[in-house]
Amino acid sequence: MNIQRIFKSLRSNLFRFVLFAIASCSIIIFLATQPSFSKNEELVFSDNDIDFSFVVVGCNRADKADVDKTAPSTANIEQLKRTFKEVSELSPPPKFLFFAGDLVFGYTSDTAQLESQLKGWRDLYENSPLASSKTTLIPITGNHETQNEKKKSYKEAEKTWIEVMEPYLKYAGNGPHAGGKDNLKTDQSKLTYSFDYKGTHFVILNTDPVGRDYSVPKAWVAKDLQTARSRFAKHIFAIGHKPAYALAPNLYVPPLEKEDGLGRLYPDDRDEFWASLVKNKAEAMLAAHNHIYSRLKGPNGNTWQIIAGNGGSVLEKVVDQSKNNSYGFTLVSVLKNNHVTVTSYGRDVPKEGYLAPSEKYPTTIRDRGDISWNN
């Protein structure tokens, strides 16, 4: 009888052990399939914790060799339509979609051609589910929209952009005019400007003004940010096409001779601009131009540099290509507790070609982090 009890006890304990082992393995397998974040980037919050959110993406234009097959928009139509659809399905709906330049191929002194491309891009947007959603589109100029074949911005291109995109420039108008401390050659008031939303200050930047490509009006920006901070802005974001601190030249394959950001031609001006962001505790500058996704903290403070140039243009050949090899968009969430998070959504580039259908490539979270100033 005692022996029977012993065997019964052993069987019971063995059964519990097996159950425990199965459960443990299940937990391990589950955790192994989840995105891996460092401790300070474990983001746990619900929709109810979000005050509002916004999306940033740029660089969707096709390559020169594919302009005819993507006319009139000259956009990567497959990826653009998918981004519009997926952003429209986000919950809660983002308040803004900032499209950070290089929407079309451009690079032309023929403004009729530029106008046709921009209107073609607008048609794609206006026939997408995003156009009837609660998300407001805010397009931003890139060098492909404002520059000619010689890669120099010119007045007529700026004017064409404003005329075609006028319906989506509802917050524009308070930017710098020609002249001033920045000695601007043309009126930039609808290309570089700022506005507030729910205590957050946004600065929209044309990073290729006429006569001074690869720059921003640093004096105007410094004054604007100081004014915003004096009004107790809770958060500050700068959004433009070219990043202040571009992806490092040595990370390209083959390496670049010079960085491809605002420091390329005017590094001192770039540093002054960045110092204004840091001084006024801006959470981040979000940009595109480099055809990758990158999130790095900038120098001399807690301001982040986020490059979201993976909208659909052919991706750059970089050192860690597998990590950066995705098309998608970047979501920034401003939480009610004043924290700010960033989430990069990405999908693999179709093996059949960058313009090819992409349904079989799922969009997943590729990067997440807390970019709050004090984090």
Side-chain angles (χ1 to χ4, degrees):
M1 189 71 176
N2 289 336
I3 293 176
Q4 289 178 340
R5 285 200 194 96
I6 291 171
F7 276 113
K8 186 176 181 180
S9 176
L10 287 173
R11 284 198 302 269
S12 177
N13 289 335
L14 180 61
F15 180 71
R16 291 193 186 99
F17 175 78
V18 171
L19 285 178
F20 175 77
I22 293 172
S24 298
C25 288
S26 299
I27 292 172
I28 291 170
I29 292 171
F30 172 77
L31 292 175
T33 61
Q34 304 308 300
S36 177
F37 309 125
S38 59
K39 186 175 181 181
N40 69 335
E41 294 185 337
E42 292 175 353
L43 309 178
V44 181
F45 58 89
S46 69
D47 289 359
N48 292 331
D49 298 320
I50 299 174
D51 192 15
F52 75 98
S53 62
F54 60 92
V55 169
V56 178
V57 61
C59 300
N60 175 259
R61 54 90 182 168
D63 266 6
K64 185 176 183 179
D66 299 311
V67 165
D68 290 339
K69 70 175 69 171
T70 56
S73 68
T74 66
N76 185 335
I77 299 172
E78 168 70 18
Q79 295 298 329
L80 186 63
K81 285 184 173 181
R82 185 161 175 183
T83 290
F84 285 156
K85 180 178 182 295
E86 291 180 353
V87 171
S88 73
E89 294 170 348
L90 290 173
S91 178
K95 175 58 184 175
F96 304 108
L97 167 61
F98 296 97
F99 217 102
D102 285 8
L103 293 67
V104 301
F105 183 79
Y107 267 178
T108 176
S109 54
D110 183 346
T111 55
Q113 185 179 78
L114 176 62
E115 179 181 358
S116 175
Q117 292 178 7
L118 291 173
K119 286 183 175 179
W121 192 94
R122 268 190 56 179
D123 285 342
L124 291 173
Y125 166 72
E126 289 166 2
N127 285 286
S128 76
L130 191 62
S132 58
S133 73
K134 295 181 180 179
T135 301
T136 300
L137 170 68
I138 299 183
I140 302 170
T141 52
N143 52 297
H144 276 259
E145 284 83 34
T146 62
Q147 292 181 337
N148 58 23
E149 298 87 345
K150 296 180 180 180
K151 299 185 179 181
K152 294 289 185 181
S153 289
Y154 62 106
K155 183 177 180 179
E156 290 77 13
E158 292 183 343
K159 182 180 178 182
T160 299
W161 168 272
I162 292 171
E163 290 175 350
V164 176
M165 292 298 176
E166 185 69 34
Y168 307 106
L169 302 179
K170 60 181 291 186
Y171 294 99
N174 71 336
H177 298 281
K181 290 185 178 181
D182 291 299
N183 193 29
L184 296 169
K185 303 300 181 185
T186 57
D187 184 355
Q188 296 291 302
S189 62
K190 290 188 176 183
L191 301 171
T192 289
Y193 57 93
S194 65
F195 67 93
D196 297 314
Y197 179 76
K198 299 188 75 170
T200 292
H201 189 68
F202 291 98
V203 182
I204 309 304
L205 299 165
N206 173 22
T207 54
D208 288 290
V210 172
R212 202 170 176 81
D213 298 273
Y214 281 96
S215 74
V216 296
K218 64 180 195 287
W220 180 88
V221 170
K223 183 178 180 180
D224 178 81
L225 293 179
Q226 183 178 9
T227 301
R229 186 53 70 184
S230 70
R231 296 199 306 264
F232 305 103
K234 293 185 291 185
H235 307 286
I236 294 176
F237 300 97
I239 307 173
H241 180 63
K242 288 179 176 173
Y245 293 92
L247 192 69
N250 65 300
L251 295 181
Y252 285 82
V253 182
L256 301 181
E257 292 184 7
K258 295 188 71 174
E259 66 168 291
D260 198 12
L262 295 183
R264 185 180 182 91
L265 298 182
Y266 308 103
D268 292 341
D269 287 0
R270 183 272 313 276
D271 291 347
E272 286 187 45
F273 161 66
W274 191 262
S276 295
L277 294 178
V278 173
K279 178 181 178 181
N280 291 285
K281 298 184 178 181
E283 272 84 0
M285 178 183 182
L286 296 108
H289 191 58
N290 304 153
H291 298 172
I292 47 105
Y293 168 81
S294 172
R295 176 170 67 94
L296 296 170
K297 191 168 285 189
N300 306 320
N302 290 328
T303 299
W304 289 81
Q305 169 77 72
I306 298 172
I307 301 175
N310 57 336
S313 297
V314 173
L315 296 177
E316 310 279 11
K317 292 182 179 179
V318 295
V319 173
D320 189 359
Q321 189 66 51
S322 61
K323 180 180 178 181
N324 293 282
N325 200 30
S326 69
Y327 286 149
F329 54 90
T330 298
L331 175 71
V332 178
S333 299
V334 178
L335 307 184
K336 293 176 183 177
N337 65 4
N338 281 330
H339 275 254
V340 179
T341 69
V342 63
T343 305
S344 173
Y345 290 92
R347 48 192 174 264
D348 291 346
V349 178
K351 294 179 181 179
E352 300 79 4
Y354 80 111
L355 299 175
S358 62
E359 303 88 13
K360 64 182 179 181
Y361 301 96
T363 297
T364 59
I365 293 175
R366 302 301 179 99
D367 177 56
R368 296 184 76 183
D370 188 327
I371 61 169
S372 308
W373 172 262
N374 292 319
N375 189 56

